Every structure is written in C-alpha cells, then in structure tokens.
Amino acid sequence: MAEKRPFDILNNALNQNVLVKLKGDVEVRGILGSFDVHMNLVIENGEELKNGELKRKLGTVLLRGDTVVYVSPATP
C-alpha cells in the first residue's frame, strides 16, 4: 500500500464536504475549496456548528491554518 501524506489526503478531500475543528471549540462544516502549505483552508457554503447543531451560515470563509485542530470528512 502506498504511503499517504497529509497533503495527499487534503487533495482527495477537495470539493468534498468536510468538518473542520478550530481552536476555541468552534466547528465549521462545508466544501473544501482549496488549501495551502500553511493549511489555510477555503471553505465554501460554510456553516458554524455548536454542539453539532447549526449556529449560523457563513458562506465562503477562509480559515487560518494555525487555528485548525483537525479536518474530517462530513455528511452534508
């Protein structure tokens, strides 16, 4: 089995729904539009979640890489 690098996994997640956990116990769900080497993420159709429930719609949002705790596949 080929070794997978973190950027390979992010590349495979492009244009897919993801759940991003941020510092400060904030979660953002949306479509991963793009990312860079600092793990800055562009999320399209973003939604802020609190305790798994929709808090507010954000639209297109840029998440700064140093605030990202994890990126996970998400259900729409």
Side-chain angles (χ1 to χ4, degrees), residues 11-50:
N11 267 324
N12 290 337
L14 282 172
N15 300 313
Q16 303 291 320
N17 281 304
V18 292
L19 178 65
V20 182
K21 173 83 170 194
L22 304 174
K23 292 180 182 176
D25 208 28
V26 175
E27 291 181 323
V28 175
R29 177 176 59 201
I31 298 169
L32 180 60
S34 62
F35 63 91
D36 66 11
V37 296
H38 303 288
M39 217 159 119
N40 296 316
L41 308 174
V42 174
I43 303 295
E44 299 170 4
N45 301 324
E47 301 173 331
E48 182 179 352
L49 305 175
K50 181 139 184 149

Side-chain angles (χ1 to χ4, degrees), residues 50-65:
K50 181 139 184 149
N51 299 322
E53 298 292 323
L54 178 62
K55 183 175 177 185
R56 65 181 169 154
K57 292 187 179 272
L58 302 171
T60 301
V61 63
L62 171 66
L63 303 177
R64 186 178 163 126

